Amino acid sequence: MNQSKIFQVSVVLVIVFSALSIGAKTHNLPVEYIQALVIADVAITVFFAIEIIIRYLATNNAKKFFSSGWNIFDTAIVIGSLIPAGGSGVLLARLLRVFRVLRLVSMIPELRILINALLKAIPRMGYIALLMFVIFYIYAAIGSILFENINQKLWGDVSISMLTLFRVATFEDWTDVMYETMDVYPFSWIFYLSFIFLTAFIFLNMMVGTVLEVMGSEHERYRAESHGETEEGGEPASRAQIEQLQKELAEIKQLISRR
């Protein structure tokens, strides 16, 4: 376990160094520093290739290794890093090397939990986003009908009105838009405040709540897996099930001690 931890920390440090070297190449550096960075880039690429081979050999099962999406992700990044940085593919090679920073996600469990939670929350968030689009469209249609004569650039049609409402939802000088229409329609503030209340408060909090709910279940799943509380093909045991099992074991011990 300690060796595995040291190996993991070493890989993380190399990834961080790789990220720093990529950033350093964007600056105007002396020739000797650029040459040193090129040598370091080759060494990092070789290190990543050896590291992924070691992980593959340690699995002893190709099907099991590639059944993990994170292993496929790491392998794709390493293969992309092997593209030569010279010739016509220099731009592609530099872009692929930038993505090596993403390997931090696969190496750090906490980051994996965040990404898994975000991916699993996307379907639920999609319905919320669809409802938000409906609200945007309704308010854009109303705004285009009411305020078109006030400012054609902001309320000329539904598409432009939706962009204006996005500006309002992100609080980008939205009061300027509101005061302009209030000069003609004094009660138009109701239009803006109701829209902000729906989008910025209700729907945004619904999305945050959805992500937090999925993230909590992912943390519970990771805790259960790390403690060996899962069975192959089954779901992780819940905390309530564990407490019930401990209670039953305690009762069995009491019965045995009385005999």
Side-chain angles (χ1 to χ4, degrees):
M1 179 65 70
N2 291 333
Q3 292 179 353
S4 176
K5 199 71 175 178
I6 294 173
F7 180 74
Q8 182 180 10
V9 172
S10 301
V11 175
V12 170
L13 291 176
V14 173
I15 294 172
V16 172
F17 178 76
S18 174
L20 294 177
S21 65
I22 291 172
K25 291 179 182 178
T26 61
H27 295 275
N28 294 323
L29 299 175
V31 178
E32 56 270 18
Y33 287 108
I34 295 177
Q35 293 176 349
L37 289 175
V38 171
I39 296 173
D41 182 76
V42 174
I44 292 170
T45 302
V46 172
F47 177 85
F48 283 154
I50 295 174
E51 181 259 340
I52 203 73
I53 293 173
I54 291 174
R55 284 169 52 189
Y56 175 79
L57 295 176
T59 306
N60 292 325
N61 190 331
K63 185 177 180 180
K64 182 179 179 181
F65 179 82
F66 289 108
S67 63
S68 173
W70 293 112
N71 289 337
I72 297 174
F73 176 77
D74 290 342
T75 304
I77 291 180
V78 171
I79 293 175
S81 299
L82 296 176
I83 296 177
S88 59
V90 60
L91 180 60
L92 177 61
R94 291 181 64 184
L95 290 175
L96 291 174
R97 279 162 172 73
V98 171
F99 286 101
R100 290 193 303 201
V101 183
L102 289 176
R103 292 207 59 200
L104 280 174
V105 177
S106 63
M107 295 303 301
I108 301 177
E110 288 75 11
L111 292 181
R112 290 203 303 267
I113 292 173
L114 292 176
I115 297 299
N116 287 333
L118 181 60
L119 293 176
K120 290 184 178 181
I122 286 177
R124 302 184 189 180
M125 292 171 63
Y127 292 107
I128 300 174
L130 178 60
L131 184 57
M132 283 186 66
F133 175 80
V134 172
I135 297 300
F136 262 84
Y137 188 85
I138 292 173
Y139 272 82
I142 295 173
S144 180
I145 294 171
L146 293 178
F147 309 138
E148 180 183 6
N149 296 328
I150 297 176
N151 192 326
Q152 188 75 18
K153 292 182 178 180
L154 297 179
W155 307 101
D157 53 46
V158 173
S159 301
I160 296 175
S161 298
M162 291 184 72
L163 289 175
T164 303
L165 289 175
F166 183 79
R167 170 183 171 182
V168 174
T170 55
F171 302 107
E172 179 63 29
D173 293 332
W174 71 278
T175 53
D176 296 339
V177 180
M178 182 181 68
Y179 290 142
E180 184 181 35
T181 58
M182 284 181 64
D183 292 336
V184 180
Y185 300 103
F187 290 99
S188 62
W189 58 268
I190 299 175
F191 173 86
Y192 297 98
L193 294 185
S194 61
F195 174 76
I196 290 174
F197 179 78
L198 287 173
T199 56
F201 297 135
I202 295 181
F203 291 122
L204 182 60
N205 286 329
M206 288 174 65
M207 284 194 172
V208 172
T210 300
V211 174
L212 290 178
E213 180 184 356
V214 177
M215 193 177 299
S217 63
E218 283 297 307
H219 275 285
E220 184 67 22
R221 182 182 296 274
Y222 175 74
R223 183 200 62 80
E225 290 178 353
S226 62
H227 288 81
E229 298 170 5
T230 59
E231 296 181 358
E232 188 173 354
E235 293 294 326
S238 64
R239 191 179 299 274
Q241 291 173 335
I242 296 172
E243 292 176 352
Q244 180 65 25
L245 181 60
Q246 291 175 344
K247 183 178 179 181
E248 291 174 356
L249 289 175
E251 292 176 355
I252 293 173
K253 288 181 180 179
Q254 289 180 358
L255 291 175
I256 295 174
S257 61
R258 288 176 184 176
R259 293 181 181 179

